[in-house]
Amino acid sequence: MTITPPALSVFEALESEVRSYCRGWPAVFDRAQGSYMYDEDGHTYLDFFAGAGALNYGHNNPVLKRALIDYIERDGVTHGLDMGTTAKRAFLESFQNTVLRPRDLPYKVMFPGPTGTNAVEAALKLARKVKGREAIVSFTNAFHGMSLGALAVTGNAFKRAGAGIPLVHGTPMPFDNYLDGRVPDFLWFERLLEDQGSGLNQPAAVIVETVQGEGGINVARNEWLRGLADLCKRRDMLLIVDDIQMGCGRTGPFFSFEEADITPDIVTLSKSIGGYGLPMSLALFRPELDIWEPGEHNGTFRGNNPAFVTAAAALDTYWADGQMEKQTLARGEQVQQALREICEEHVRLGAEYRGRGLVWGLEFTDPSRATAVCARAFELGLLVETSGPQSEVVKLLPPLTVSPEELDEGLRTLARAVRETA
């Protein structure tokens, strides 16, 4: 189909230049259901973006929508700060029974505010409070959020530059395979920790993504993650896993670190933890780390009760029997096969693919190629975005509830977009 960009005068006239996604997808969206979005002109788009990972269960999931409507219609509490509510209790009970207990995870649950960057800020603040140190170690190409503390442990130069002030107390280390396997894991990190002249203050914590989504779909090996956990334990550093985009089943298991058989000291969750796309985030941590004073970290919108309702419904519906993990891994194999065929067809483009579960990246040697592919995919009715430091990767993030037929439709469209921009 051919899509004519609509007149966006009110957006252009009133909205800040900071807007970004609407530039790559020049449409005015009106409805959404399941894996599809619809613009006001009647065009249909298959969504392989899923709200940047906030819509793992699709748009307007009927089970979650029913729970939300019922709650609103009975005048359930909407805004509750950190007061006790029936909605919060139901969520905590579901989270404990469906997620924490089956995995033997002892975490306390903190509601730091509605966004992922709120959870990261809380995690960094708590780590520094517990250890009495300021330094945090992060990794090359990491992304942890847009507030100042989170930006200090984010790698992307463009995003860091937006801070407008020096970003301090964060030190980057090489992510897995950053040096193409030429240097043993953590050699540089350990050397800096040992050397009193290195200039690295003893860190309070290390923060890591098991799969770097914004950084280019960089997948850490399980042995690398285990080595990192061991290093943190030996060197008295807390291990923070940022599972904001890769948690809630994106890689298969509920937590992305489960396959590595590690137990982080602190975990951050957001995006799809609310189930329906409603703002909600969590910081999880070992009970002995819970040294907060009442009100020491708070936020007006940390009690988003409608999100508690849809979150509990999502857990009860999709995580009680283990089927979601199996389905996601099966869908991932379908994506992997299609990306393999695309790379084989376009060897001269130097295309490579990588991923886990239902997060995948298609990287091109020429960074402009990924942008062109995403633009053509939009014209063909598929929503995909780029990632990586040079926007060199086409990022696939479909809903976990996507059907095999929908997945095949989107992958065929992607293959066509690559072919027509080659």
Side-chain angles (χ1 to χ4, degrees):
M1 66 180 171
T2 300
I3 297 171
T4 303
L8 300 177
S9 58
V10 68
F11 303 110
E12 293 167 349
L14 294 182
E15 194 175 359
S16 166
E17 291 299 317
V18 78
R19 65 194 188 278
S20 60
Y21 293 119
C22 58
R23 299 179 189 275
W25 302 330
V28 177
F29 295 99
D30 179 55
R31 296 184 302 111
Q33 209 287 316
S35 300
Y36 292 93
M37 298 188 73
Y38 307 88
D39 71 19
E40 62 183 2
D41 295 323
H43 298 119
T44 300
Y45 304 83
L46 183 55
D47 186 4
F48 275 24
F49 177 64
L55 295 166
N56 282 4
Y57 311 105
H59 294 273
N60 289 303
N61 182 292
V63 176
L64 312 189
K65 180 166 64 175
R66 184 72 263 161
L68 179 60
I69 290 173
D70 289 347
Y71 184 76
I72 292 172
E73 286 186 337
R74 73 169 185 81
D75 291 331
V77 173
T78 295
H79 181 271
L81 294 165
D82 68 357
M83 294 181 287
T85 64
T86 55
K88 181 194 281 189
R89 180 174 60 201
F91 166 72
L92 286 170
E93 289 174 347
S94 291
F95 192 68
Q96 183 177 46
N97 295 331
T98 306
V99 176
L100 297 181
R101 278 181 178 161
R103 293 161 181 81
D104 196 26
L105 295 172
Y107 296 135
K108 297 291 289 291
V109 179
M110 175 183 178
F111 299 95
T115 69
T117 201
N118 288 134
V120 169
E121 294 287 350
L124 300 180
K125 185 189 291 188
L126 180 60
R128 287 168 169 143
K129 179 178 174 66
V130 168
K131 291 300 182 182
R133 310 176 202 138
E134 297 176 346
I136 304 289
V137 167
S138 58
F139 292 94
T140 50
N141 290 312
F143 178 78
H144 296 291
M146 297 299 283
S147 53
L148 293 180
L151 275 178
V153 291
T154 287
N156 186 282
F158 174 75
K159 292 181 172 64
R160 288 174 63 89
I165 63 171
L167 297 170
V168 297
H169 308 308
T171 301
M173 292 292 164
F175 191 70
D176 189 17
N177 204 40
Y178 184 74
L179 299 172
D180 300 320
R182 293 173 293 178
V183 177
D185 295 341
F186 312 114
L187 177 68
W188 175 240
F189 194 174
E190 292 239 40
R191 180 59 178 153
L192 292 181
L193 291 170
E194 293 168 354
D195 186 359
Q196 294 298 308
S198 70
L200 175 64
N201 294 331
Q202 173 66 17
V206 176
I207 185 167
V208 68
E209 304 154 274
T210 65
V211 180
Q212 295 180 326
E214 299 302 311
I217 319 300
N218 305 312
V219 183
R221 294 167 296 137
N222 289 335
E223 54 265 36
W224 187 86
L225 292 168
R226 287 191 289 269
L228 177 61
D230 178 67
L231 175 61
C232 288
K233 185 176 182 180
R234 288 189 287 108
R235 295 291 182 173
D236 189 32
M237 303 177 294
L238 297 179
L239 176 60
I240 304 169
V241 169
D242 180 340
D243 236 4
I244 288 166
Q245 189 168 84
M246 298 305 153
C248 301
R250 177 52 59 180
T251 66
F254 187 86
F255 294 108
S256 70
F257 55 80
E258 291 182 51
E259 291 183 12
D261 195 26
I262 61 173
T263 303
D265 299 294
I266 304 175
V267 180
T268 60
L269 289 174
S270 186
K271 292 197 182 280
S272 278
I273 188 60
Y276 201 71
L278 298 175
M280 175 180 170
S281 75
L282 305 177
L284 314 175
F285 38 81
R286 296 181 185 274
E288 62 269 24
L289 303 181
D290 191 13
I291 63 172
W292 293 113
E293 296 290 333
E296 191 173 11
H297 186 94
N298 56 27
T300 303
F301 295 101
R302 65 195 183 280
N304 185 0
N305 284 258
F308 298 158
V309 170
T310 52
L315 295 177
D316 294 341
T317 302
Y318 293 103
W319 292 100
D321 59 6
Q323 290 306 306
M324 175 59 78
E325 179 177 349
K326 295 177 182 177
Q327 175 178 299
T328 298
L329 295 175
R331 301 285 192 273
E333 293 177 0
Q334 187 177 348
V335 176
Q336 184 177 20
Q337 176 60 32
L339 294 183
R340 181 185 298 117
E341 292 173 0
I342 290 173
C343 290
E344 289 173 351
E345 181 181 349
H346 301 281
V347 175
R348 66 181 181 82
L349 298 180
E352 297 181 355
Y353 66 92
R354 53 185 176 267
R356 278 177 56 194
L358 273 176
V359 52
W360 290 85
L362 181 62
E363 181 179 12
F364 295 92
T365 304
D366 177 3
S368 66
R369 182 76 59 190
T371 300
V373 168
C374 289
R376 181 56 181 150
F378 171 77
E379 294 172 349
L380 296 171
L382 175 68
L383 302 181
V384 284
E385 67 160 344
T386 61
S387 70
Q390 301 181 74
S391 297
E392 72 276 20
V393 177
V394 176
K395 180 181 181 182
L396 307 182
L397 211 68
L400 305 187
T401 51
V402 66
S403 71
E405 295 76 20
E406 291 167 342
L407 200 53
D408 183 60
E409 175 190 347
L411 293 168
R412 281 188 282 105
T413 302
L414 175 64
R416 178 181 170 185
V418 174
R419 194 175 302 119
E420 293 182 358
T421 56

